[in-house]
Amino acid sequence: MDQRVSNLPPPTVYVVDDDDGVRRALAFALDLEGFEVETFESGEALLLHDRLDAAGCLVIDERLPGISGQETLRQLRARQVALPAIFVTSHPKPLMRDAAARAGTPIVEKPLEAETLIATIHQLLRHPAAR
């Protein structure tokens, strides 16, 4: 991301994953890419967050303890939070693929490749109406 083009602060990526190692690795890779990063261990923790930057993006693990990634996103949408989102999961089932496609939410499969996730984030941030 070229910060010389704009004086705007970098977008914030909100990472929701119950695996601390995954959260730390994603935060490191995204920070190197120039994003601000906030991490959450559950959907409930994200839903308690008082402010989500409209210029950001959500990266949500589908399989979380408590409420699922899909339910987390559904509750955010009910609150009128329109941040673009990406689901990360291993072996997405057809029903999940269908629901994500209807919502315009891409799926990035685990094991995660940082380059693939970063490219997907950039795509969503460049074309927010595509979600």
Side-chain angles (χ1 to χ4, degrees):
M1 178 176 287
D2 189 348
Q3 294 298 319
R4 294 173 297 165
V5 174
S6 172
N7 290 331
L8 297 174
T12 301
V13 178
Y14 301 93
V15 175
V16 184
D17 198 298
D18 59 311
D19 184 318
D20 184 56
V22 170
R23 284 193 314 271
R24 285 187 282 122
L26 287 177
F28 179 76
L30 294 168
D31 181 64
L32 285 177
E33 187 65 18
F35 293 108
E36 292 293 324
V37 182
E38 291 191 41
T39 63
F40 302 87
E41 70 279 356
S42 67
E44 292 89 346
L46 175 68
L47 291 170
L48 291 173
H49 191 62
D50 61 347
R51 185 175 173 276
L52 297 173
D53 184 355
C57 178
L58 299 160
V59 174
I60 306 174
D61 187 5
E62 169 49 24
R63 300 190 79 191
L64 295 167
I67 64 172
S68 70
Q70 284 186 45
E71 177 60 19
T72 301
L73 187 58
R74 188 197 67 71
Q75 289 188 32
L76 288 170
R77 296 298 187 241
R79 295 179 186 180
Q80 306 302 310
V81 174
L83 287 170
I86 299 166
F87 286 127
V88 293
T89 190
S90 302
H91 313 294
K93 295 182 179 174
L95 285 175
M96 188 214 170
R97 286 188 186 277
D98 291 344
R102 281 191 309 276
T105 306
I107 296 172
V108 176
E109 293 188 43
K110 290 181 176 181
L112 292 173
E113 292 185 15
E115 298 83 20
T116 301
L117 181 61
I118 289 167
T120 304
I121 291 169
H122 281 299
Q123 177 72 20
L124 282 178
L125 293 175
R126 274 194 304 273
H127 305 289
R131 59 177 187 262

